[in-house]
PDB file of all heavy atoms in Angstrom:
ATOM      1  N   VAL A 193       5.386   4.879  14.657  1.00 97.00           N
ATOM      2  CA  VAL A 193       5.735   5.021  13.247  1.00 97.00           C
ATOM      3  C   VAL A 193       4.687   4.359  12.354  1.00 97.00           C
ATOM      4  O   VAL A 193       4.120   4.946  11.405  1.00 97.00           O
ATOM      5  CB  VAL A 193       7.109   4.466  12.920  1.00 97.00           C
ATOM      6  CG1 VAL A 193       7.358   4.360  11.423  1.00 97.00           C
ATOM      7  CG2 VAL A 193       8.198   5.353  13.546  1.00 97.00           C
ATOM      8  N   LEU A 194       4.360   3.110  12.679  1.00 96.00           N
ATOM      9  CA  LEU A 194       3.374   2.354  11.856  1.00 96.00           C
ATOM     10  C   LEU A 194       1.987   3.038  11.965  1.00 96.00           C
ATOM     11  O   LEU A 194       1.277   3.103  10.945  1.00 96.00           O
ATOM     12  CB  LEU A 194       3.276   0.901  12.347  1.00 96.00           C
ATOM     13  CG  LEU A 194       4.542   0.081  12.144  1.00 96.00           C
ATOM     14  CD1 LEU A 194       4.366  -1.306  12.743  1.00 96.00           C
ATOM     15  CD2 LEU A 194       4.927  -0.026  10.677  1.00 96.00           C
ATOM     16  N   ALA A 195       1.650   3.519  13.132  1.00 95.00           N
ATOM     17  CA  ALA A 195       0.345   4.212  13.272  1.00 95.00           C
ATOM     18  C   ALA A 195       0.357   5.501  12.477  1.00 95.00           C
ATOM     19  O   ALA A 195      -0.662   5.871  11.848  1.00 95.00           O
ATOM     20  CB  ALA A 195       0.091   4.476  14.746  1.00 95.00           C
ATOM     21  N   ALA A 196       1.463   6.247  12.508  1.00 97.00           N
ATOM     22  CA  ALA A 196       1.523   7.539  11.815  1.00 97.00           C
ATOM     23  C   ALA A 196       1.442   7.340  10.286  1.00 97.00           C
ATOM     24  O   ALA A 196       0.775   8.162   9.606  1.00 97.00           O
ATOM     25  CB  ALA A 196       2.822   8.246  12.168  1.00 97.00           C
ATOM     26  N   ILE A 197       2.052   6.303   9.768  1.00 97.00           N
ATOM     27  CA  ILE A 197       2.027   6.127   8.280  1.00 97.00           C
ATOM     28  C   ILE A 197       0.725   5.479   7.819  1.00 97.00           C
ATOM     29  O   ILE A 197       0.448   5.517   6.604  1.00 97.00           O
ATOM     30  CB  ILE A 197       3.253   5.343   7.771  1.00 97.00           C
ATOM     31  CG1 ILE A 197       3.255   3.908   8.278  1.00 97.00           C
ATOM     32  CG2 ILE A 197       4.527   6.075   8.158  1.00 97.00           C
ATOM     33  CD1 ILE A 197       4.410   3.061   7.733  1.00 97.00           C
ATOM     34  N   THR A 198      -0.058   4.920   8.742  1.00 97.00           N
ATOM     35  CA  THR A 198      -1.383   4.426   8.341  1.00 97.00           C
ATOM     36  C   THR A 198      -2.440   5.488   8.587  1.00 97.00           C
ATOM     37  O   THR A 198      -3.396   5.623   7.779  1.00 97.00           O
ATOM     38  CB  THR A 198      -1.751   3.160   9.134  1.00 97.00           C
ATOM     39  OG1 THR A 198      -1.598   3.374  10.517  1.00 97.00           O
ATOM     40  CG2 THR A 198      -0.860   2.001   8.689  1.00 97.00           C
ATOM     41  N   GLU A 199      -2.343   6.273   9.646  1.00 95.00           N
ATOM     42  CA  GLU A 199      -3.318   7.316   9.922  1.00 95.00           C
ATOM     43  C   GLU A 199      -3.141   8.526   9.033  1.00 95.00           C
ATOM     44  O   GLU A 199      -4.114   9.192   8.648  1.00 95.00           O
ATOM     45  CB  GLU A 199      -3.223   7.729  11.408  1.00 95.00           C
ATOM     46  CG  GLU A 199      -3.626   6.676  12.416  1.00 95.00           C
ATOM     47  CD  GLU A 199      -5.141   6.404  12.339  1.00 95.00           C
ATOM     48  OE1 GLU A 199      -5.916   7.386  12.412  1.00 95.00           O
ATOM     49  OE2 GLU A 199      -5.514   5.222  12.235  1.00 95.00           O
ATOM     50  N   TYR A 200      -1.897   8.845   8.742  1.00 97.00           N
ATOM     51  CA  TYR A 200      -1.593  10.053   7.974  1.00 97.00           C
ATOM     52  C   TYR A 200      -0.600   9.686   6.811  1.00 97.00           C
ATOM     53  O   TYR A 200       0.538  10.125   6.824  1.00 97.00           O
ATOM     54  CB  TYR A 200      -0.984  11.120   8.868  1.00 97.00           C
ATOM     55  CG  TYR A 200      -1.816  11.381  10.102  1.00 97.00           C
ATOM     56  CD1 TYR A 200      -1.432  10.912  11.343  1.00 97.00           C
ATOM     57  CD2 TYR A 200      -3.052  12.059  10.016  1.00 97.00           C
ATOM     58  CE1 TYR A 200      -2.204  11.104  12.492  1.00 97.00           C
ATOM     59  CE2 TYR A 200      -3.834  12.269  11.153  1.00 97.00           C
ATOM     60  CZ  TYR A 200      -3.381  11.777  12.373  1.00 97.00           C
ATOM     61  OH  TYR A 200      -4.153  11.985  13.496  1.00 97.00           O
ATOM     62  N   PRO A 201      -1.060   8.888   5.880  1.00 96.00           N
ATOM     63  CA  PRO A 201      -0.146   8.313   4.888  1.00 96.00           C
ATOM     64  C   PRO A 201       0.453   9.306   3.917  1.00 96.00           C
ATOM     65  O   PRO A 201       1.497   9.022   3.332  1.00 96.00           O
ATOM     66  CB  PRO A 201      -1.018   7.296   4.162  1.00 96.00           C
ATOM     67  CG  PRO A 201      -2.418   7.802   4.333  1.00 96.00           C
ATOM     68  CD  PRO A 201      -2.455   8.426   5.710  1.00 96.00           C
ATOM     69  N   ASP A 202      -0.167  10.453   3.723  1.00 95.00           N
ATOM     70  CA  ASP A 202       0.262  11.340   2.664  1.00 95.00           C
ATOM     71  C   ASP A 202       1.324  12.355   3.088  1.00 95.00           C
ATOM     72  O   ASP A 202       1.732  13.215   2.310  1.00 95.00           O
ATOM     73  CB  ASP A 202      -0.937  12.098   2.105  1.00 95.00           C
ATOM     74  CG  ASP A 202      -1.703  12.874   3.162  1.00 95.00           C
ATOM     75  OD1 ASP A 202      -1.531  12.582   4.361  1.00 95.00           O
ATOM     76  OD2 ASP A 202      -2.466  13.773   2.789  1.00 95.00           O
ATOM     77  N   VAL A 203       1.847  12.262   4.361  1.00 97.00           N
ATOM     78  CA  VAL A 203       2.777  13.290   4.792  1.00 97.00           C
ATOM     79  C   VAL A 203       4.194  12.765   4.920  1.00 97.00           C
ATOM     80  O   VAL A 203       5.125  13.537   5.237  1.00 97.00           O
ATOM     81  CB  VAL A 203       2.340  13.887   6.167  1.00 97.00           C
ATOM     82  CG1 VAL A 203       0.927  14.490   6.081  1.00 97.00           C
ATOM     83  CG2 VAL A 203       2.409  12.869   7.297  1.00 97.00           C
ATOM     84  N   TRP A 204       4.423  11.480   4.638  1.00 98.00           N
ATOM     85  CA  TRP A 204       5.727  10.864   4.893  1.00 98.00           C
ATOM     86  C   TRP A 204       6.426  10.482   3.597  1.00 98.00           C
ATOM     87  O   TRP A 204       5.819   9.886   2.685  1.00 98.00           O
ATOM     88  CB  TRP A 204       5.594   9.640   5.758  1.00 98.00           C
ATOM     89  CG  TRP A 204       4.806   9.877   7.034  1.00 98.00           C
ATOM     90  CD1 TRP A 204       3.524   9.535   7.301  1.00 98.00           C
ATOM     91  CD2 TRP A 204       5.300  10.595   8.191  1.00 98.00           C
ATOM     92  NE1 TRP A 204       3.183   9.978   8.541  1.00 98.00           N
ATOM     93  CE2 TRP A 204       4.240  10.604   9.117  1.00 98.00           C
ATOM     94  CE3 TRP A 204       6.523  11.185   8.501  1.00 98.00           C
ATOM     95  CZ2 TRP A 204       4.379  11.216  10.366  1.00 98.00           C
ATOM     96  CZ3 TRP A 204       6.643  11.789   9.750  1.00 98.00           C
ATOM     97  CH2 TRP A 204       5.576  11.797  10.666  1.00 98.00           C
ATOM     98  N   ALA A 205       7.691  10.793   3.515  1.00 98.00           N
ATOM     99  CA  ALA A 205       8.501  10.359   2.368  1.00 98.00           C
ATOM    100  C   ALA A 205       9.029   8.935   2.576  1.00 98.00           C
ATOM    101  O   ALA A 205       9.202   8.198   1.608  1.00 98.00           O
ATOM    102  CB  ALA A 205       9.686  11.296   2.175  1.00 98.00           C
ATOM    103  N   ALA A 206       9.240   8.560   3.825  1.00 98.00           N
ATOM    104  CA  ALA A 206       9.729   7.215   4.172  1.00 98.00           C
ATOM    105  C   ALA A 206       9.533   6.996   5.663  1.00 98.00           C
ATOM    106  O   ALA A 206       9.271   7.944   6.394  1.00 98.00           O
ATOM    107  CB  ALA A 206      11.222   7.058   3.784  1.00 98.00           C
ATOM    108  N   ALA A 207       9.688   5.749   6.086  1.00 98.00           N
ATOM    109  CA  ALA A 207       9.550   5.431   7.492  1.00 98.00           C
ATOM    110  C   ALA A 207      10.589   4.370   7.889  1.00 98.00           C
ATOM    111  O   ALA A 207      10.878   3.441   7.087  1.00 98.00           O
ATOM    112  CB  ALA A 207       8.149   4.900   7.787  1.00 98.00           C
ATOM    113  N   VAL A 208      11.124   4.511   9.097  1.00 98.00           N
ATOM    114  CA  VAL A 208      12.096   3.543   9.654  1.00 98.00           C
ATOM    115  C   VAL A 208      11.576   3.164  11.026  1.00 98.00           C
ATOM    116  O   VAL A 208      11.429   4.052  11.888  1.00 98.00           O
ATOM    117  CB  VAL A 208      13.517   4.158   9.751  1.00 98.00           C
ATOM    118  CG1 VAL A 208      14.480   3.157  10.400  1.00 98.00           C
ATOM    119  CG2 VAL A 208      14.019   4.630   8.399  1.00 98.00           C
ATOM    120  N   GLU A 209      11.327   1.880  11.240  1.00 96.00           N
ATOM    121  CA  GLU A 209      10.879   1.467  12.549  1.00 96.00           C
ATOM    122  C   GLU A 209      11.651   0.234  13.045  1.00 96.00           C
ATOM    123  O   GLU A 209      12.015  -0.620  12.253  1.00 96.00           O
ATOM    124  CB  GLU A 209       9.374   1.212  12.571  1.00 96.00           C
ATOM    125  CG  GLU A 209       8.884  -0.012  11.871  1.00 96.00           C
ATOM    126  CD  GLU A 209       8.576  -1.181  12.819  1.00 96.00           C
ATOM    127  OE1 GLU A 209       9.135  -1.200  13.935  1.00 96.00           O
ATOM    128  OE2 GLU A 209       7.801  -2.061  12.411  1.00 96.00           O
ATOM    129  N   PHE A 210      11.921   0.252  14.338  1.00 94.00           N
ATOM    130  CA  PHE A 210      12.655  -0.827  14.985  1.00 94.00           C
ATOM    131  C   PHE A 210      11.768  -1.492  16.025  1.00 94.00           C
ATOM    132  O   PHE A 210      11.142  -0.835  16.860  1.00 94.00           O
ATOM    133  CB  PHE A 210      13.886  -0.237  15.741  1.00 94.00           C
ATOM    134  CG  PHE A 210      14.759   0.698  14.950  1.00 94.00           C
ATOM    135  CD1 PHE A 210      14.399   2.017  14.747  1.00 94.00           C
ATOM    136  CD2 PHE A 210      15.941   0.239  14.400  1.00 94.00           C
ATOM    137  CE1 PHE A 210      15.210   2.882  14.037  1.00 94.00           C
ATOM    138  CE2 PHE A 210      16.787   1.113  13.696  1.00 94.00           C
ATOM    139  CZ  PHE A 210      16.400   2.430  13.514  1.00 94.00           C
ATOM    140  N   VAL A 211      11.724  -2.810  16.012  1.00 91.00           N
ATOM    141  CA  VAL A 211      11.032  -3.670  16.995  1.00 91.00           C
ATOM    142  C   VAL A 211       9.670  -3.083  17.417  1.00 91.00           C
ATOM    143  O   VAL A 211       9.344  -3.047  18.590  1.00 91.00           O
ATOM    144  CB  VAL A 211      11.944  -3.882  18.222  1.00 91.00           C
ATOM    145  CG1 VAL A 211      13.176  -4.677  17.835  1.00 91.00           C
ATOM    146  CG2 VAL A 211      12.359  -2.619  18.917  1.00 91.00           C
ATOM    147  N   GLY A 212       8.879  -2.684  16.444  1.00 89.00           N
ATOM    148  CA  GLY A 212       7.609  -2.048  16.724  1.00 89.00           C
ATOM    149  C   GLY A 212       6.460  -3.011  16.803  1.00 89.00           C
ATOM    150  O   GLY A 212       6.498  -4.144  16.301  1.00 89.00           O
ATOM    151  N   ILE A 213       5.391  -2.569  17.456  1.00 88.00           N
ATOM    152  CA  ILE A 213       4.156  -3.356  17.581  1.00 88.00           C
ATOM    153  C   ILE A 213       3.265  -3.052  16.396  1.00 88.00           C
ATOM    154  O   ILE A 213       2.880  -1.927  16.137  1.00 88.00           O
ATOM    155  CB  ILE A 213       3.410  -2.985  18.887  1.00 88.00           C
ATOM    156  CG1 ILE A 213       4.309  -3.204  20.108  1.00 88.00           C
ATOM    157  CG2 ILE A 213       2.109  -3.756  19.008  1.00 88.00           C
ATOM    158  CD1 ILE A 213       3.767  -2.544  21.386  1.00 88.00           C
ATOM    159  N   ALA A 214       2.916  -4.138  15.657  1.00 89.00           N
ATOM    160  CA  ALA A 214       2.013  -3.987  14.527  1.00 89.00           C
ATOM    161  C   ALA A 214       0.566  -4.372  14.915  1.00 89.00           C
ATOM    162  O   ALA A 214      -0.380  -3.771  14.370  1.00 89.00           O
ATOM    163  CB  ALA A 214       2.464  -4.867  13.347  1.00 89.00           C
ATOM    164  N   ASP A 215       0.443  -5.332  15.807  1.00 87.00           N
ATOM    165  CA  ASP A 215      -0.889  -5.852  16.170  1.00 87.00           C
ATOM    166  C   ASP A 215      -0.891  -6.057  17.693  1.00 87.00           C
ATOM    167  O   ASP A 215      -0.173  -6.928  18.181  1.00 87.00           O
ATOM    168  CB  ASP A 215      -1.162  -7.152  15.438  1.00 87.00           C
ATOM    169  CG  ASP A 215      -2.541  -7.711  15.676  1.00 87.00           C
ATOM    170  OD1 ASP A 215      -3.182  -7.356  16.688  1.00 87.00           O
ATOM    171  OD2 ASP A 215      -3.003  -8.506  14.834  1.00 87.00           O
ATOM    172  N   PHE A 216      -1.657  -5.274  18.399  1.00 82.00           N
ATOM    173  CA  PHE A 216      -1.674  -5.359  19.858  1.00 82.00           C
ATOM    174  C   PHE A 216      -2.221  -6.695  20.354  1.00 82.00           C
ATOM    175  O   PHE A 216      -1.854  -7.145  21.472  1.00 82.00           O
ATOM    176  CB  PHE A 216      -2.445  -4.207  20.476  1.00 82.00           C
ATOM    177  CG  PHE A 216      -1.630  -2.939  20.551  1.00 82.00           C
ATOM    178  CD1 PHE A 216      -1.765  -1.949  19.618  1.00 82.00           C
ATOM    179  CD2 PHE A 216      -0.722  -2.743  21.572  1.00 82.00           C
ATOM    180  CE1 PHE A 216      -1.012  -0.761  19.672  1.00 82.00           C
ATOM    181  CE2 PHE A 216       0.027  -1.592  21.695  1.00 82.00           C
ATOM    182  CZ  PHE A 216      -0.096  -0.593  20.703  1.00 82.00           C
ATOM    183  N   GLU A 217      -3.045  -7.360  19.584  1.00 84.00           N
ATOM    184  CA  GLU A 217      -3.550  -8.671  19.986  1.00 84.00           C
ATOM    185  C   GLU A 217      -2.412  -9.676  19.978  1.00 84.00           C
ATOM    186  O   GLU A 217      -2.186 -10.392  20.963  1.00 84.00           O
ATOM    187  CB  GLU A 217      -4.664  -9.133  19.044  1.00 84.00           C
ATOM    188  CG  GLU A 217      -5.980  -8.393  19.254  1.00 84.00           C
ATOM    189  CD  GLU A 217      -7.064  -8.956  18.365  1.00 84.00           C
ATOM    190  OE1 GLU A 217      -7.138  -8.554  17.193  1.00 84.00           O
ATOM    191  OE2 GLU A 217      -7.830  -9.814  18.835  1.00 84.00           O
TER     192      GLU A 217
END
């Protein structure tokens, strides 16, 4: 979800993510 809204920001009306990875490091 986080990758999709950063890579393709103009196609989403909203985003809901649970326990997601923001930074792989």
Side-chain angles (χ1 to χ4, degrees):
V193 167
L194 296 176
I197 65 176
T198 53
E199 291 292 309
Y200 309 105
D202 57 342
V203 303
W204 307 104
V208 178
E209 72 101 336
F210 310 79
V211 297
I213 301 166
D215 185 337
F216 279 98
E217 287 184 276

